[in-house]
Amino acid sequence: MRGAVWQIRHWRLWSLPRRVLLYVIGVELFALGAAVTGLVTGSIPNSRDLLRAAVLTVAGAAHVWISWRTEESRRDRSYGPHVGTTVVWTFPAMVLLPPLLALSIVLWLRVLIYPISRRPLYRQTFNLANIVVGALVVTLVLRAGAVVAGSGFTPSAALTVIIAAAAYFVAQAVNVGLVIVLSTPRPNLSVALGNREDNIFEALTLCVAALVVFAMSYSLLAPIVVVPVVCAADWAVRQVERLRGDSRTDHTTGLLNSRGWHEQAAREVARVRRAGRPLAVAVLDLDHFKSVNDTWGHPAGDAVLRTVAAVLGEQTRQGDVVGRIGGEEFALLLPDTDGTAALVVAERVRAGIAEMRVPATDKRGQPVTIEGRTTSVGIAGGLDGTAELDALLHAADAALYEAKVGGRNQIKVSENGGRPRSRRG
């Protein structure tokens, strides 16, 4: 009992500012009251309701499972409120089903996406409460328009459903916006309302949800057809998000990607060759990086990669060309630097990576600290002003291979493609 009390006292919920804490708890208590009232006063499900609920449940589960990795990636890179697509199934449940079944589907989908969302429990419960508040708004609009759950849709009833979708959008925006305003020292309207792209995406998702409502009045199996469409939309949005940044930039670390690194490195090599100055290339590969993904999940691996990128930024100069050229492989082009000087830089990087303490979450969303990581480095230097980028990369890769074979967590230097010499960490 004492252990349970200790855990409750250390919930991250209590670290919220007082006004945010009171608002969150207030919304959750209100949502709880609305849910209980709906369950008590709602109609008893009939056989048609049960069939509709079963179809929406299966469709929602298929959507979540097919889009698992896409959604995980989007959520992990979402710095503000995340716009999900499960509303495609929860909104039809609110319109077509009695409260008992509608709430069951909402809970079912929240359970399914819990391992993906990787958010603290208090944020999960607030999101659930926010959905329930939105469902209450939808119910009030439908009652005002005299729309009966599960009945056919006349033009006026269809218009009421569209208005209900708009009201749901506004309710969600206001609720989340208030939390942002209360949490931000100097809030403004743009911060509270979010960016235009996210708002448009959420509105489009609700349009699809309304179409599912109308389609189900003609066929119970209509949601099954919508599943691949929604999954394709999830994938397309992820691709658009990737293209928002520079096509030469790695979206995980913010460093140059392979294409960007090679382009910029080639220009720098040409400059150095014209000046007859030395340069060096270092290739880094994180040791046993696959174990990070296998143990804690890909978002934790991405957190490690971002921290490595930060170490590289701290230990290199402004004129150095730094990029991520593979999964866990990084490359440095060091102008005006010979192999000996590059060894000093590489040792600083190796030590910095060894000292990393990376806060992340495991596969169950629990906080973890990843430390004790090591890296192997291969270095190749050009001294005569005639170095070719491909030749230096090949020599650095060969030196890296020697470092891996030699026990990892060490640096190998290959001057002009010669026999590598090593420095162990």
Side-chain angles (χ1 to χ4, degrees), residues 175-365:
N175 207 9
V176 174
L178 284 174
V179 173
I180 295 174
V181 168
L182 293 173
S183 306
T184 306
R186 295 181 179 179
N188 55 54
L189 191 61
S190 62
V191 171
L193 296 180
N195 61 61
R196 183 180 65 176
E197 290 79 7
D198 285 346
N199 285 316
I200 291 175
F201 180 60
E202 185 169 6
L204 290 175
T205 306
L206 278 166
C207 289
V208 175
L211 290 176
V212 172
V213 172
F214 300 144
M216 288 194 75
S217 65
Y218 293 97
S219 173
L220 286 175
L221 297 181
I224 304 300
V225 181
V226 178
V227 170
V229 176
V230 179
C231 292
D234 285 339
W235 181 85
V237 169
R238 180 70 192 106
Q239 302 312 307
V240 170
E241 289 175 349
R242 287 185 176 183
L243 293 174
R244 282 180 182 175
D246 190 345
S247 62
R248 299 167 65 250
T249 302
D250 173 59
H251 65 277
T252 300
T253 63
L255 301 176
L256 293 171
N257 59 22
S258 180
R259 172 189 173 187
W261 186 88
H262 279 83
E263 290 178 355
Q264 188 164 330
R267 289 193 293 268
E268 193 63 25
V269 167
R271 182 192 68 80
V272 170
R273 289 182 63 184
R274 287 195 300 269
R277 302 288 297 170
L279 78 159
V281 169
V283 180
L284 296 77
D285 190 88
L286 302 182
D287 297 331
H288 304 296
F289 180 73
K290 184 175 183 296
S291 66
V292 176
N293 291 329
D294 292 342
T295 303
W296 296 292
H298 289 273
D302 288 347
V304 171
L305 294 174
R306 286 191 289 268
T307 307
V308 170
V311 171
L312 294 175
E314 294 169 357
Q315 302 301 337
T316 55
R317 303 164 299 180
Q318 185 174 2
D320 297 336
V321 183
V322 184
R324 179 188 176 199
I325 60 174
E328 63 267 23
E329 192 171 9
F330 298 81
L332 310 177
L333 179 77
L334 308 173
D336 303 316
T337 305
D338 58 19
T340 301
L343 179 61
V344 176
V345 176
E347 175 57 29
R348 291 202 306 262
V349 171
R350 189 202 62 78
I353 291 174
E355 295 171 358
M356 291 189 318
R357 291 176 56 85
V358 183
T361 55
D362 61 19
K363 294 179 179 180
R364 296 185 177 181

Side-chain angles (χ1 to χ4, degrees), residues 63 83-95 130-131 134-135 137-138 158-174 197-215 226 230 233-234:
H63 170 212
V83 180
T85 52
T86 54
V87 71
V88 169
W89 318 114
T90 56
F91 180 77
M94 298 171 194
V95 176
N130 196 21
I131 294 173
V137 172
V138 170
L159 178 61
T160 302
V161 171
I162 295 173
I163 295 173
Y168 181 89
F169 175 89
V170 172
Q172 299 283 287
V174 170
E197 290 79 7
D198 285 346
N199 285 316
I200 291 175
F201 180 60
E202 185 169 6
L204 290 175
T205 306
L206 278 166
C207 289
V208 175
L211 290 176
V212 172
V213 172
F214 300 144
V226 178
V230 179
D234 285 339

